[in-house]
Amino acid sequence: MAAESMASRIFVAPIRDRILSPIGSYVGRSVHSAGYTMLMTCEAIIKIPTLLNWRNFCEFLRQCYLAGIQSLPVVFLVGLFVGMILSLQSGLTLMQFGLERFIAEITGAALTREMGPLMTAIILTGRVGSSMAAELGTMSVSEEIDALRIMSINPVRFLVLPRILATVIMMVVLTVFAILIGIFGGALIGQAQIGVSYDMFFKGAFDVITYKDLYSGLTKAAVFGLLISMISCSEGLRTTGGAEGVGRGTRRAVVNCLLYIIMFNYIMDSFIFLFVYGR
Amino acid sequence: MDANGNIVISFENAYKTLSGRNVLDGMTFDVRRGETFVIIGPSGMGKSVTLKHMVGLMRPDDGEVIISDEGEGGRVRYDVSHLKPIQLERLRAIFGYLFQDGALLASLTVGENVALPLFERRLHVFREKYGRRNAENKIWERVREKLGMVDMVHAIDNLPAELSGGMRKRAGLARAIIHEPKIILYDEPTSGLDPVMGTNINRLIRHLQEKLGVTSLVVTHDIDSAYYVGDRIAMINRGRMEQIGTPDEIKNTTNPVVRQFIEGNIEGPLTAGRKH
């Protein structure tokens, strides 16, 4: 009996308290968080018709400006340099085989299918997702969300819906912009360092992009926009614990956004290759 | 208990545990129609949590929180533990709530903050009453009237970040009364205000009660304010009511816990076992 009790104290209790209990608690929190985020998003989608109200539509336009127009400079710079890097790297390799004329095709396809949506999503996670989580988090800890509830104003309709819709739409618009700027950046390097003329580069890049590439890339962009806004808003609305809580919530929002973007990128690529390209 | 129809808020043995701590531990009290009921007590003993239960921001783990309202269709009884979303919305329409720091939305001006409940929830009522063209003007008239009551008309176009703590609180009060609620909940209405403005707010609380028959529930640390505005004063300690009485009964109480609190003594049963 005594030996059994000692074994329990030495082996069972530490495993239970230090391993199983934290794992269980983490899984419980994650399931709760995922459930909350999904319900919040469904509620926001159901409330889309409320945007027909002029005041709500104005808030949607304001969010489009914050998420989209204000992100243009950074998307421009990142898009330009990513296009230049793609062109340079592929050019250096293809030059060894005398195939440098194909850098336009590689740059165009890579930007449309992969790099355009992905880099725009990463920029919007840092610029828009973090700011949404911090803003809604600050509103939560300063009782502004409670004040809305008491005034019978649904925070999901009032705060979350315009942000989700604006992020999804602006993500698609910014992705198109990033792809175009990336191709332009690639063309600059093609002309200056690889020896491919502008005409040849633009013709090659735009010829290789098919409708399938375009809509699969833009579908990915829309899904990334949805992920960024729903995760950030959900973290913001669930923030507790003052300034420290806002910091914690913002950090969690950014990390989760990046993780889910990368995971969904792979999952969507698999589906796109299977169902869109039939491979 | 409310057979005479005079009870508007009733807590019956309400329990609430937050982070393993019993914040409400058998809370029982009633608030009568048209009175100003003041709750005093040490910090962290469940005063704000009590207010949040009344508007359904929190629900009791056990016990009952009942709100009664005389509507056009007769008497309506809301059990906060079992409210559907539509009932919750109706319940909240009865209340005005002044938050400790005003809780103004940072992206809106003072005027827009105060007008928000009307534009979001009552615009159709104003349109029916004054027509589509005049509705917005009437709302802004009402906003100026309520801001005037708290001496804040001059700040109508300011953002909350441009205001002092006291001004934010006064703007929050204007927003709490903009829809002319039947019950107003005040969470620390005079904290952070200068004495003159504090007296002004106390008078406004009395004015709303005497002229409009509003029921008020005030949570405060300010004992002088409690004596001035309160018809009855209740002291919360460790999640339950320590004593409920008129201001005179509280002033002359022999309850050692209440005595220590109102006299602000460091030594006593409230602080026994606590490190200073």
Side-chain angles (χ1 to χ4, degrees):
Chain A
M1 198 67 181
E4 194 180 308
S5 154
M6 186 179 284
S8 162
R9 206 169 57 241
I10 295 171
F11 298 110
V12 179
I15 290 172
R16 185 191 59 211
D17 296 344
R18 294 189 188 164
I19 301 173
L20 295 180
S21 176
I23 290 174
S25 158
Y26 177 78
V27 170
R29 274 201 312 272
S30 302
V31 170
H32 174 263
S33 166
Y36 180 91
T37 307
M38 291 309 296
L39 284 175
M40 181 201 77
T41 309
C42 291
E43 194 180 345
I45 291 168
I46 290 167
K47 303 273 181 195
I48 284 176
T50 61
L51 284 178
L52 293 174
N53 177 316
W54 175 243
R55 292 175 63 83
N56 296 342
F57 189 70
C58 286
E59 176 60 17
F60 162 70
L61 291 181
R62 195 177 78 90
Q63 290 301 327
C64 283
Y65 172 76
L66 293 175
I69 309 299
Q70 290 199 338
S71 301
L72 276 175
V74 66
V75 172
F76 174 84
L77 282 176
V78 174
L80 186 73
F81 281 101
V82 166
M84 289 161 79
I85 292 163
L86 274 175
S87 183
L88 190 61
Q89 289 293 348
S90 53
L92 286 175
T93 309
L94 292 172
M95 276 167 88
Q96 294 171 14
F97 306 101
L99 298 170
E100 61 269 26
R101 64 183 183 284
F102 290 116
I103 60 164
E105 282 81 351
I106 290 178
T107 307
L111 278 167
T112 313
R113 289 182 195 169
E114 196 63 54
M115 292 307 291
L118 191 61
M119 73 182 171
T120 312
I122 290 170
I123 294 167
L124 256 67
T125 298
R127 248 206 107 259
V128 179
S130 61
S131 121
M132 272 181 201
E135 187 185 4
L136 297 191
T138 307
M139 291 180 79
S140 291
V141 298
S142 59
E143 297 184 306
E144 290 172 42
I145 306 286
D146 282 347
L148 286 175
R149 289 197 177 107
I150 289 172
M151 291 186 273
S152 291
I153 299 171
N154 184 337
V156 173
R157 196 263 301 158
F158 190 74
L159 299 169
V160 175
L161 169 62
R163 282 166 173 78
I164 287 184
L165 215 56
T167 313
V168 170
I169 291 171
M170 284 300 121
M171 182 69 207
V172 173
V173 173
L174 289 173
T175 299
V176 172
F177 180 69
I179 292 168
L180 294 175
I181 293 298
I183 290 172
F184 175 71
L188 285 179
I189 292 300
Q191 166 87 13
Q193 286 184 269
I194 313 291
V196 178
S197 70
Y198 288 128
D199 281 351
M200 216 170 136
F201 193 99
F202 286 127
K203 188 174 182 313
F206 290 117
D207 278 353
V208 80
I209 300 172
T210 62
Y211 281 115
K212 282 181 183 175
D213 293 331
L214 201 60
Y215 71 65
S216 59
L218 296 185
T219 305
K220 274 164 65 170
V223 172
F224 294 161
L226 183 67
L227 285 172
I228 293 167
S229 50
M230 62 194 256
I231 292 170
S232 305
C233 290
S234 163
E235 288 294 346
L237 288 183
R238 285 180 296 125
T239 298
T240 53
E244 198 189 337
V246 174
R248 212 170 30 235
T250 308
R251 187 182 61 225
R252 223 168 21 221
V254 171
V255 171
N256 286 344
C257 281
L258 293 175
L259 276 176
Y260 280 99
I261 284 168
I262 300 295
M263 283 195 297
F264 269 75
N265 194 18
Y266 170 72
I267 293 166
M268 290 181 70
D269 276 349
S270 305
F271 277 96
I272 287 165
F273 272 84
L274 193 63
F275 295 113
V276 179
Y277 296 99
R279 287 169 199 166
Chain B
M1 184 183 291
D2 56 345
N4 57 8
N6 205 27
I7 305 295
V8 285
I9 300 170
S10 172
F11 274 63
E12 258 317 300
N13 248 343
Y15 287 83
K16 182 74 181 176
T17 304
L18 294 172
S19 307
R21 205 164 62 85
N22 293 335
V23 186
L24 299 188
D25 195 9
M27 178 69 76
T28 302
F29 68 93
D30 295 322
V31 179
R32 298 170 197 148
R33 186 177 313 283
E35 77 170 336
T36 300
F37 188 86
V38 181
I39 299 178
I40 57 172
S43 301
M45 291 295 168
K47 300 191 298 294
S48 298
V49 170
T50 305
L51 290 191
K52 287 183 178 175
H53 275 76
M54 295 174 197
V55 286
L57 284 178
M58 289 183 176
R59 298 185 185 209
D61 298 334
D62 197 12
E64 281 189 331
V65 177
I66 305 290
I67 312 296
S68 303
D69 178 39
E70 292 287 351
E72 284 171 10
R75 192 168 178 74
V76 188
R77 185 176 178 275
Y78 298 97
D79 180 349
V80 173
S81 306
H82 307 103
L83 285 181
K84 292 175 185 156
I86 186 75
Q87 292 172 309
L88 195 58
E89 204 169 288
R90 284 188 199 132
L91 167 76
R92 285 172 178 169
I94 304 170
F95 285 94
Y97 196 121
L98 171 61
F99 284 88
Q100 212 161 340
D101 294 313
L104 300 175
L105 303 191
S107 58
L108 304 181
T109 64
V110 167
E112 288 165 344
N113 261 290
V114 176
L116 187 65
L118 298 186
F119 275 119
E120 287 289 327
R121 307 298 312 172
R122 304 284 170 94
L123 187 56
H124 63 285
V125 178
F126 276 75
R127 279 180 175 165
E128 276 170 23
K129 201 168 172 185
Y130 303 107
R132 286 185 78 86
R133 282 189 179 178
N134 289 329
E136 290 205 11
N137 290 337
K138 288 291 175 186
I139 287 177
W140 285 106
E141 254 176 46
R142 171 91 71 91
V143 168
R144 280 190 201 89
E145 176 203 332
K146 300 301 179 195
L147 281 173
M149 289 172 82
V150 292
D151 195 18
M152 282 289 292
V153 180
H154 62 280
I156 192 165
D157 293 324
N158 286 98
L159 287 168
E162 296 163 349
L163 307 179
S164 69
M167 289 167 86
R168 278 202 294 273
K169 185 163 283 184
R170 280 148 57 198
L173 180 53
R175 188 179 64 186
I177 59 176
I178 190 75
H179 62 294
E180 296 175 346
K182 294 176 184 171
I183 306 171
I184 306 178
L185 309 178
Y186 301 88
D187 195 354
E188 303 284 358
T190 54
S191 72
L193 298 181
D194 62 77
V196 176
M197 191 44 69
T199 307
N200 202 1
I201 296 292
N202 286 335
R203 280 188 185 161
L204 185 64
I205 295 171
R206 291 276 354 152
H207 169 83
L208 289 169
Q209 185 218 3
E210 286 162 6
K211 303 285 179 202
L212 306 175
V214 171
T215 306
S216 303
L217 204 139
V218 183
V219 159
T220 185
H221 284 111
D222 183 346
I223 302 296
D224 291 332
S225 166
Y227 290 148
Y228 181 80
V229 300
D231 294 315
R232 287 192 302 153
I233 299 174
M235 177 161 167
I236 287 186
N237 186 30
R238 295 178 203 279
R240 54 172 62 202
M241 283 299 174
E242 190 71 39
Q243 186 180 352
I244 302 175
T246 62
D248 283 338
E249 284 168 351
I250 295 292
K251 272 179 202 169
N252 301 316
T253 183
T254 52
N255 183 321
V257 174
V258 182
R259 275 243 75 80
Q260 185 194 352
F261 185 76
I262 60 175
E263 289 173 0
N265 295 328
I266 293 172
E267 301 294 337
L270 265 180
T271 46
R274 257 199 245 165
K275 285 182 182 173
H276 303 302

